[in-house]
Amino acid sequence: MPARFLRAPIAPTVSDDGLYPFVPSISLDTLWFQVAGTICNLKCTHCFISCSPSNHSHEMLTLGEVRRRLAEAIPLGVREYYFTGGEPFGNPEMLPILEETLRQGPATVLTNGMFLSPDRCRSLKRIFDASEYSLDVRVSIDGYTAEVNDAIRGAGTFEKILGGISNLAGAGLNPVVTVTEACEEAGSPAGRARFLDWMRSIGLERPRLKVLSLFRIGAEEGRLRAYESWESLRGRHLTEDESEKLQCSSCRMVTSRGVYVCPILIDEPRARMGESLAETLRPFRLEYGACFTCHEFGVTCRT
Amino acid sequence: MPDVTRLAFFGGVYSNSLALEAALTHAKRSSADGLYALGDFGGFGPHPDRVFPILLDAGVESIQGNYEESLSSGAEDCHCGYTDPRDNHFAQISYDYTARKTSSEWKRWMRTLPKTRRLEVAGRKVLLVHGSPRKINEFLWESTSPVSFLEKMLADSDADVLVCTHTGLPWTRLLPSGRRVVNAGVLGRPANDGRTNVWYARLTFGRDVSVEFVPVEYDHEELARRMREERLPGEFIETVSTGWWTTCLEILPAKERERGRY
C-alpha cells in the first residue's frame, strides 16, 4: 500500500481506558450546518435523528449565525459547506444563506425535494450561475415507486419529490439523487444500475446517485433494529489510512446547540465538542454504533 | 526588459507521447528555461514505455503522480481517488493495461522520483505537486478549491506558487495574499471542452508571476488509431476524437460537469 500522504504522519490514538480508538482531527475540510435544526415537514421512518415538524432538539440557524460561522471558517481553511436538517428549504433564510456561502466556497444542500417549486429552482440556478464555486442539490428518495417510497417518507411524497427533481432539471440544475442502501437494493451493483436507469427514465440525462448507509439510531432504531453490542469499534486500532477515510477526521457540524463531531451524532451529548470551531479540532472517541457503520462500510455523508 | 524566467509545466501525460512531443517542441521554441512534468505519465493512452525516453532526452524534471507511486510499488490499482463505481471501472481498465505494458526498468526509475519538488524562482518559493501538497491524489478543482482553503494550504506548505495537476482541467487563482495556484491541466487528454487540443502551463517569473495556458495541437487521429490497435476502450478513443470526456465524470464538481457534454 503506497503512502499517499505527503504531510507528516498523524498517529491515531487510543482512549485512556484503552477501549475505543480516537480519530485524530487532521483538517477541517467540510463544515456542516444543521440549518433547519431537527425540524422537518416529513417524518421518515428511517431518520437517524427522528426529524419531524415538532422535533426542536436543534433549532433552525439564522443567516446571522451562519455568517458568523463562515467568518470563523476562513482561517481554518474550510474547503466546502454542507447544509442539512430537517428540511433546509423549511428555513425561510435558506436562499440568502446559500448565496452568502457561495461567495466563500462550494456548497451542497440536502433536501427532501418537497419545497422545490419552479420559482425556487430558478432562484437556485441564478445563485449557482453567480458563483465561481459549485452548488449541489441532493434530493432524497426511497424507491422508484410511490408504494415503496411513501411507506418510508409519507403518503403523497413520491409525486412531490419527482416534481422537485423535474423542476431542478428544468431550471438547468442536475441534482444528486440520494437513496439509502436498503432502497431497491441500490447498495448492490445491479440495484445501482437499475436505479440509474430509472433516473434516466424520469428525464435526468446525466444521473448522479449517492447511496447512503442506514444508521440504526433515531427512528430507524424502531423501524428495523438498534445496534447490537458487537457493532462497535471497541478494542480496535485505526491505521492512519482508516482515520483519513472517516469523515470525522476532516469535518464538523454546527447546530443551534454548538459544534458536533459529525452530522450523524447530534443527538449524543458527548459528540458536542465545543462552541467555537477551533476548539473542536481535537481527537474524538469512536464509541458509538454509528462509528462502526462509518468505519466498516466506508461511509461518508459527503457526496 | 527586466530579467524573466520562463518555466513550462506539463500535467498528466497519460501515455500520450504524441502530445508530449508537440508540447516539448512548443516549449523549446518559446525558450523555456526549465521543463517540469508533474506525474501520471501512464494511463488512458497506448504504449506507456514510449513516454519516458522522451522526457529524459528533453531534460524534463519529473515528480511522481499517483500512477508512478502505484506502479512502482506494485499496487493493484491507480489510487486515483475516484469514489464512483463507473469512474473506478474505467480507471481499473486503464491501470491494468498500463501496469502490464510498463517495463520493470521504468517502474524502478519511477521509484527514484520525488513526490514533490521545491524551486526558488525570482525570489519566490514554488512548490510542485501532483495532487495537492498534502496528498498525491487530492483533486484541486477550480470550483471546489476556495480562496481561504488555498491560502491556508499554501501558508502551511510555505509556498508562494503551487503548481499541480491530477484533475485534468487547467485553471489558476491569484490569492489575496499574492500567492498563486496553478493547475497545469494535462497533456494526456483534452479538457472536456469539445476541442481536441490539450494544454500545458507556462509561468513567467519576473516582477510578477504570469500564467499562460498553452494549447497543444497534436496528431490526435494517430493517437486514436494506436488506441484502437491496443484495444483500449471506445469511450477513451471518443474523448480523444471529440474533446469531450466520457469517463471519470462522476468525480467532476457541478460547475465543471455542467461545461461538458456528458
Side-chain angles (χ1 to χ4, degrees), chain B residues 67 75-77 90-101:
Chain B
Y67 248 79
E76 289 182 355
D77 67 71
F90 285 104
Q92 196 62 45
I93 292 174
S94 172
Y95 183 75
D96 290 344
Y97 169 84
T98 308
R100 205 169 60 242
K101 295 274 184 163

Side-chain angles (χ1 to χ4, degrees), chain A residues 169-190:
Chain A
L173 288 170
N174 188 17
V176 178
V177 174
T178 306
V179 298
T180 69
E181 61 194 356
C183 164
E184 313 279 14
E185 297 173 348
S188 73

Side-chain angles (χ1 to χ4, degrees), chain A:
Chain A
M1 182 72 169
R4 293 191 301 280
F5 305 107
L6 303 175
R7 53 169 167 68
I10 298 170
T13 52
V14 177
S15 58
D16 294 342
D17 54 16
L19 289 181
Y20 294 96
F22 269 94
V23 61
S25 168
I26 297 175
S27 56
L28 183 57
D29 286 357
T30 309
L31 185 58
W32 286 82
F33 290 94
Q34 193 71 24
V35 73
T38 37
I39 304 154
C40 190
N41 53 315
L42 303 184
K43 213 175 162 180
C44 302
T45 58
H46 60 13
C47 185
F48 58 87
I49 45 173
S50 312
C51 294
S52 75
S54 58
N55 184 346
H56 290 266
S57 300
H58 299 266
E59 297 292 350
M60 290 196 188
L61 297 173
T62 63
L63 174 60
E65 285 166 319
V66 172
R67 188 179 285 151
R68 184 168 65 82
R69 295 300 189 177
L70 289 174
E72 231 183 309
I74 289 176
L76 301 175
V78 172
R79 183 169 192 180
E80 57 185 358
Y81 304 92
Y82 276 75
F83 295 89
T84 185
E87 169 47 43
F89 290 108
N91 185 321
E93 293 185 297
M94 197 58 227
L95 291 184
I97 284 172
L98 282 176
E99 207 165 3
E100 192 137 336
T101 303
L102 279 159
R103 283 189 209 121
Q104 186 162 314
T108 299
V109 55
L110 279 53
T111 173
N112 62 29
M114 309 291 286
F115 296 139
L116 294 172
S117 65
D119 257 5
R120 178 161 282 155
C121 292
R122 279 192 291 271
S123 300
L124 285 168
K125 175 68 164 133
R126 272 196 298 276
I127 292 170
F128 174 85
D129 286 343
S131 174
E132 63 186 308
Y133 301 122
S134 276
L135 166 67
D136 267 325
V137 183
R138 243 166 71 177
V139 184
S140 298
I141 199 164
D142 275 291
Y144 34 73
T145 59
E147 192 186 352
V148 176
N149 174 82
D150 290 6
I152 288 175
R153 305 191 79 84
T157 56
F158 184 76
E159 288 305 321
K160 284 188 184 157
I161 299 167
L162 283 193
I165 290 174
S166 158
N167 291 339
L168 282 170
L173 288 170
N174 188 17
V176 178
V177 174
T178 306
V179 298
T180 69
E181 61 194 356
C183 164
E184 313 279 14
E185 297 173 348
S188 73
R192 184 186 177 86
R194 279 199 301 273
F195 217 99
L196 288 167
D197 282 344
W198 174 78
M199 286 163 69
R200 284 186 200 98
S201 79
I202 60 165
L204 294 173
E205 287 171 21
R206 308 174 189 189
R208 299 165 75 204
L209 179 64
K210 165 77 182 171
V211 181
L212 277 177
S213 285
L214 286 165
F215 291 93
R216 301 187 183 286
I217 51 178
E220 173 67 7
E221 196 174 307
R223 188 181 74 105
L224 285 179
R225 66 170 176 85
Y227 282 108
E228 293 176 10
S229 60
W230 64 272
E231 291 171 302
S232 153
L233 293 178
R234 192 183 163 104
R236 297 284 197 90
H237 293 264
L238 296 188
T239 64
E240 188 174 12
D241 207 41
E242 287 174 323
S243 296
E244 195 261 347
K245 280 187 185 139
L246 287 169
Q247 201 199 186
C248 47
S249 68
S250 62
C251 84
R252 288 295 176 260
M253 161 58 100
V254 169
T255 88
S256 61
R257 291 172 170 269
V259 183
Y260 286 72
V261 65
C262 76
I264 305 298
L265 293 175
I266 63 169
D267 279 340
E268 295 291 348
R270 285 199 300 280
R272 184 186 181 281
M273 295 187 76
E275 182 48 44
S276 76
L277 290 177
E279 70 181 317
T280 67
L281 302 185
R282 59 177 203 273
F284 178 77
R285 188 173 132 120
L286 301 172
E287 61 182 291
Y288 301 96
C291 305
F292 173 83
T293 297
C294 285
H295 179 265
E296 290 302 289
F297 304 107
V299 177
T300 173
C301 308
R302 299 174 63 244
T303 300

Side-chain angles (χ1 to χ4, degrees), chain B residues 189-202:
Chain B
R189 65 172 181 170
N192 198 24
D193 54 4
R195 297 167 54 171
T196 52
N197 67 274
V198 295
W199 300 85
Y200 78 92
R202 185 166 53 185

